[in-house]
Each structure stands twice: as C-alpha cells, then as structure tokens.
Amino acid sequence: MTIPADIAAAYDQGRVPNGTSLEYLAQSKDASCTVALWIVFALTTLVFIGRIWCRCYVKFDLGVDDALATISWACLVGFVVLSQLLIDMGSGRHYDYIQDVMPMSRVEQSEVLDFAAHLIYTTALFACRLSGLAFYEKRIISNATRFKWAIRITAGFLTAAYIPQMMLIVFHCTPVTGLWPYDWQSTPRQYSCLAWGVVYSVNSTISLASDVALFAIPIVILYSLQCLSYSKRVKLAFVIMPGIGVVGISIARLVLVIRSQWSPDESWIYGPMLAVETSEIGSTLIALSAPAVYPLFRAWRRSLHETYTSFTSSHRTSRTSRNNSYQLTPGLEAHARASARTKDPLVHPQAWLKATDDAPQLFDFLPWGPFSSVEAANQVLTIWAEDETKFLFAVYVKSGVLDRSGEPVEASTDGNGCLAGTIGLLNSVHSDATTEVGHVTVLPRWQRTCVMTHANGLLLRELLDPLPPLGTGLGLRRVQWQCHSDNTASRRAAERLGYVYEGTIRWCRVLPQGKSGSAMDGEGRMYGVKHNGRHSCMLAICFDDWERGVRQRIDTMMSR
C-alpha cells in the first residue's frame, strides 16, 4: 500500500503515536462513497429533469409541487458538493487520521462545512416532503375534504419537526460558530456542546417519522377512496413503491448514527452516512417525481410505432341541421393520422356493450349506463340520433397501434380498427355559435394513451378553426365542457387540453336513481330524495383562447 504524503509528513513530524500503523491511517472508503454520491445525484437529476420537462411540455401543468421539488433539488446540489469536499478533506477517514494527521485548520473547516451541509440536507428533505403533500392535494384527492385536512395537519407536523431539527444543528454548540470541537481540539473559546450522537440520533428519528407520515398518506388514500380513478391509483403506486425504499434508507441512517456514536472510531462511518443522506434526498425526490415522469415512458413506447386514431359518427353526420346543431365535415383529417367516417348506427350498440361490459365504472358520472342488453344501449343511441342538437362519435384506433400495455391493435374485418371510447357534442346553440363537448368515455385499454388527445384535438379543430376561406372549421365562438364536481379526472383532462375553469354550477341536474351525487336533505322537492343532484364544473375554450395559444397547444400535443 502506498502511504499518502500527508500521513508520511505527520509521521516524520512525530504526530503519529507509537502503535498506530501508517497502513491503518491510509485506509479509506472515499472512492466508494464518492461513486455512490454521484450515481445517486445523476439518477435523481435525470428523473427530476424528466419531471419538469414533462410537466412543462407534455402535461402543461407546472405546479407548486414542482416549485418545491426544484428547491429540494437545488439543495441536493449544494449538499452533494459539500459532501464531496468533506470526503476529500478526510472527514470519513479513521478517527486517528483526523486527530493525528489533519491540520487543525482543516479540522475546523470540515466542522463548518459539515454544519452547513446538514442545514442544507434538512431543508432539502423538508422542501421535498412539502412537495409530496402538494402533489397529493392538487393532483390526487381534489375535493376529498377530510384528506385535505389530513394533509394540512401532516404539513403542520413536518414543519413542527423541521424547526427542532434545524435548532439542534444550529445550537449544537454555544457560542454558535459552526464549529463542533473534539475533546482534544484546542480553541480560543470555551464551547458547551451536545454529543454528536445525540443530535444526529434525534434528527434521524424525527426524519424517519416524517418519512413514514409522508408515505403513509398514499396508502391510506388508496384504502379509503374506493372511487379513485385508475390513473390516480397508478400514480400513488409509483409513489408508494420507492417510498418504501425511502423509509428503509431513513432506518439505515439511524442505524449508522447509533452504531457510530458508540464506536471509538466514530468518523469511519461518516463517509457512508453522507452517501446514505444523499440517497435519502434523492430517493424521496425520485419517489415523488415518478408519477410525473411516467408519461415520458409511455410516449417513448408509443413513438416506436406510428399512431393513428380515427373516430366515426354513431349516426349520420351529413344530415341537414334543422334546429340548433351544426353540420360537421364528413371527413376530419389531422396530419393523415386520424379521420372521421360515417358508420351504420345499428352496429354500435353491440360493439359498445361488449367493450364496456367489464368496465361499469365508465358510467359512474354519466346519466345512463351501464347497459344490461343491446336493446338498452340502442335506446340511448337512438335518443342521441334523433336529437338534432347532439352528435355522438365512436373513437377508433387503427391496427398496429400499441395500447397501454404495449400490445398492438389487431386488424379488424371492417377496416375500422379497435373501439376506444366515445365523444359527443351536445347543448349546441346555433344562434350563439356555441356547443359543448361531453359524454367522453375512454375504455380501460386506451386510458393514459394519446387516443383521446387526438379525438378531442380533431373535434376542437373542426369546431373552433375559422370558417372558409380563412380556415376549414365551423368558426364557433365557444366550446364548453361540463363535468360532475366529483369527477376530477374529467376536469383535469379538460384543463390539460386548454379549457379554462369558469366556476361550479350548483344543483344543476337531477340524476337518475342510483347515480352518485349530492344527496337531497329534505322532502318537498321535485323527484324526491331518491334522486341525487349534481353540481357541475363549467370549463370552456373561447375563440380568443383558441387563437392565443390553445390551437398551438393542441397541435403540439397531437404531434407527439
């Protein structure tokens, strides 16, 4: 083993006591700790950049949780840099190396850097945990009031935990200078200090409790909110799985601290502890960023195959408008990727019934369905076909396109492809140049794919693009979207497309018996207490929104 120059110099100066071998002083874990630091940092940074890119350019939905995650990542950068400096100084070597080899000036500098590093470390975890709570509240629970209170109480707990953690670090020694003198360290001042093990054991225990509180929330939400959409359940699962690893890392840090404080060679574990602390920040960021990054993997998978979507009318789209409806173009084209075709409406009930038989949840927020027979499905489609203010389209995906599980669509005998869902127009008022997109359903096989983005994009282009000769659309002034106030998935889908939330219309509909909604709390009202009422969220895209960026947004989303 080659003896480093600083150890040889200390030996020559007589600072190394008899019985301490130079080989022992030269032992080091610096290389492995450095590799661990930068691997974790690189992986975390990759996931974090993917998160921000996806929120900015795929979901168009940058939020408070992303801002807090950015603060946490910036703190991670500072912590990794300081950790590397501490490792290079020798802070992770044997205790005898620090006492006998390191110059006193370097010992004091390492103490100050350790002081700053752990202030940053504690702040990074605090910001990341708040980011997780903001994610739960904004993107998962929406209107579940009891969980909002639970999240706010958890935020209060995390804040109450953060303050004593910071206070213990700042005031571990008085007077406060950032130093944490060893017993053998001579200083010009007299310090009164807490034991190293006490401070880090308490802070590690608090950190572990905070991680358990943070990652227990998605488990409780999954267990309690049975009506949670499949996509939200997947997001929570993406948090829970790495979240378990975060809790494990917190436990590992606590074990290292406890082992170190009872060991005479206490500094030998310092380097691995820095790597574990970096992993704790990184894994927390990764766990809370995974749901945002997942669409990138879906987009990458879909990019391996050219995607085509088409939707066809469930009745004759070329009929003459007699009341307040509009005559849609028989063929809608978008970069040769999608088109609309007419189709015999009598074929639809059978295909629709078969496709939705295993997915009754699609009708939770619709005024009809699920259907027990072809006749029942046909009755609804007939009502739509006879109403001149409404259009109902069937959305089809052509053969060769990958579904959410990566399986390609089989070739169909009629050339239409695979039924993926429905999308409709209703409440059309010709004199006001308005209509409403509604009754949108996506079969489970095609949820979280590009199918409905393309279907909605085609329809919005047809409705909001200017009239000829300036364009090829209908030139409407307003396209609105109404959804059940509890249907957060529908509202978020509309906002992603560019619809603007305008308010909630209370008690605007009487729901069929058996449909969930707001219960009537008194007698003497039409339809009685057996029929729940509905509050509707109103969103809209107006012609000026369309011309000032929503059209470009739709084009960008459809071009991927």
Side-chain angles (χ1 to χ4, degrees):
M1 175 185 291
T2 303
I3 305 301
D6 58 342
I7 297 176
Y11 179 79
D12 293 339
Q13 295 168 11
R15 289 190 281 131
V16 177
N18 294 331
T20 303
S21 70
L22 301 187
E23 289 77 10
Y24 172 77
L25 294 176
Q27 290 177 1
S28 169
K29 298 178 181 178
D30 293 356
S32 58
C33 292
T34 296
V35 170
L37 279 178
W38 291 104
I39 287 178
V40 171
F41 176 74
L43 180 60
T44 304
T45 300
L46 181 65
V47 174
F48 172 75
I49 292 174
R51 167 191 183 146
I52 298 301
W53 188 89
C54 192
R55 288 277 168 81
C56 287
Y57 300 108
V58 177
K59 293 294 186 181
F60 302 98
D61 192 19
L62 207 61
V64 175
D65 54 333
D66 301 304
L68 289 167
T70 302
I71 293 173
S72 181
W73 179 81
C75 289
L76 175 63
V77 173
F79 181 74
V80 169
V81 170
L82 291 178
S83 296
Q84 187 63 65
L85 290 173
L86 286 164
I87 290 173
D88 293 342
M89 286 180 174
S91 297
R93 300 286 189 88
H94 287 295
Y95 185 80
D96 291 338
Y97 175 89
I98 296 174
Q99 183 175 359
D100 301 329
V101 177
M102 285 177 64
M104 190 59 62
S105 59
R106 201 199 308 173
V107 172
E108 293 180 351
Q109 185 181 7
S110 68
E111 291 169 353
V112 173
L113 290 180
D114 174 79
F115 172 78
H118 282 89
L119 289 176
I120 293 173
Y121 159 79
T122 306
T123 301
L125 284 177
F126 178 62
C128 199
R129 289 163 183 155
L130 289 185
S131 168
L133 295 182
F135 166 75
Y136 298 150
E137 180 166 359
K138 177 185 177 183
R139 304 180 189 277
I140 300 296
I141 63 168
S142 300
N143 295 323
T145 305
R146 69 183 185 277
F147 278 107
K148 283 191 175 182
W149 279 109
I151 287 173
R152 289 165 188 173
I153 290 171
T154 304
F157 167 75
L158 295 181
T159 303
Y162 171 70
I163 293 172
Q165 284 182 303
M166 294 293 283
M167 297 291 283
L168 277 173
I169 297 172
V170 171
F171 296 104
H172 64 271
C173 282
T174 55
V176 177
T177 61
L179 296 179
W180 202 332
Y182 294 96
D183 295 337
W184 45 264
Q185 188 174 340
S186 60
T187 57
R189 300 182 182 181
Q190 292 296 322
Y191 288 90
S192 175
C193 298
L194 295 170
W196 179 90
V198 171
V199 173
Y200 281 92
S201 295
V202 172
N203 277 358
S204 296
T205 302
I206 293 175
S207 183
L208 175 58
S210 299
D211 285 335
V212 170
L214 176 67
F215 292 107
I217 289 177
I219 297 176
V220 175
I221 292 175
L222 279 175
Y223 179 79
S224 301
L225 294 183
Q226 301 299 325
C227 62
L228 206 63
S229 67
Y230 179 84
S231 62
K232 289 185 178 180
R233 290 179 180 274
V234 171
K235 288 180 181 179
L236 290 178
F238 267 84
V239 172
I240 291 170
M241 288 186 289
I244 294 172
V246 173
V247 173
I249 292 172
S250 293
I251 295 173
R253 180 178 187 260
L254 180 59
V255 170
L256 283 175
V257 169
I258 293 173
R259 286 181 56 192
S260 179
Q261 69 174 322
W262 299 110
S263 171
D265 193 10
E266 61 186 51
S267 62
W268 187 238
I269 269 175
Y270 184 76
M273 191 181 74
L274 290 177
V276 168
E277 289 172 340
T278 301
S279 299
E280 186 176 6
I281 302 172
S283 58
T284 306
L285 260 176
I286 289 172
L288 297 172
S289 299
V293 175
Y294 180 66
L296 290 180
F297 290 95
R298 289 191 293 133
W300 172 77
R301 185 178 62 189
R302 290 197 304 269
S303 68
L304 297 178
H305 292 256
E306 185 178 10
T307 303
Y308 299 94
T309 60
S310 67
F311 61 91
T312 60
S313 173
S314 64
H315 55 73
R316 298 183 306 274
T317 60
S318 59
R319 69 178 184 268
T320 303
S321 172
R322 295 196 300 268
N323 297 324
N324 295 321
S325 59
Y326 309 99
Q327 184 171 334
L328 295 175
T329 305
L332 305 180
E333 301 294 333
H335 306 303
R337 295 164 67 91
S339 62
R341 305 181 308 280
T342 60
K343 185 175 174 65
D344 182 358
L346 296 178
V347 178
H348 284 290
Q350 299 174 2
W352 201 14
L353 182 64
K354 181 179 178 181
T356 60
D357 188 47
D358 295 329
Q361 69 276 10
L362 294 176
F363 302 98
D364 286 350
F365 297 106
L366 293 177
W368 33 263
F371 303 107
S372 57
S373 64
V374 173
E375 291 73 20
N378 189 47
Q379 184 178 6
V380 171
L381 294 175
T382 301
I383 293 173
W384 275 77
E386 293 175 352
D387 190 336
E388 295 295 334
T389 69
K390 296 179 179 179
F391 292 89
L392 184 63
F393 294 97
V395 180
Y396 283 87
V397 182
K398 289 187 177 180
S399 61
V401 179
L402 295 180
D403 62 15
R404 55 178 285 185
S405 64
E407 295 296 325
V409 173
E410 308 83 1
S412 61
T413 56
D414 60 2
N416 287 320
C418 177
L419 181 64
T422 62
I423 186 171
L425 294 178
L426 59 157
N427 297 328
S428 302
V429 182
H430 192 279
S431 60
D432 291 330
T434 65
T435 192
E436 178 179 327
V437 174
H439 293 215
V440 179
T441 62
V442 188
L443 296 177
R445 181 180 180 183
W446 298 103
Q447 290 173 0
R448 303 191 321 280
T449 69
C450 67
V451 170
M452 273 304 160
T453 299
H454 279 257
N456 276 282
L458 284 172
L459 204 51
L460 287 172
R461 286 174 177 174
E462 174 77 0
L463 298 172
L464 288 167
D465 274 355
L467 291 163
L470 298 179
T472 58
L474 295 176
L476 300 190
R477 297 190 176 193
R478 173 184 170 88
V479 176
Q480 65 189 35
W481 177 301
Q482 292 190 68
C483 61
H484 196 299
S485 59
D486 292 337
N487 193 355
T488 55
S490 177
R491 175 174 170 179
R492 289 186 58 77
E495 290 176 332
R496 189 176 72 88
L497 290 167
Y499 285 85
V500 178
Y501 173 69
E502 297 179 333
T504 299
I505 307 171
R506 300 178 300 151
W507 299 109
C508 60
R509 296 186 188 178
V510 176
L511 296 175
Q513 191 169 346
K515 292 290 184 177
S516 62
S518 299
M520 296 293 294
D521 57 1
E523 301 286 348
R525 301 294 171 190
M526 290 181 64
Y527 303 107
V529 297
K530 294 183 179 180
H531 292 264
N532 292 327
R534 168 174 149 169
H535 307 319
S536 293
C537 294
M538 175 67 77
L539 304 96
I541 298 175
C542 298
F543 72 96
D544 47 354
D545 304 319
W546 184 252
E547 294 170 356
R548 293 172 185 170
V550 176
R551 176 59 150 92
Q552 183 179 0
R553 178 190 191 127
I554 292 292
D555 290 347
T556 301
M557 295 170 71
M558 293 181 67
S559 65
R560 295 194 180 97

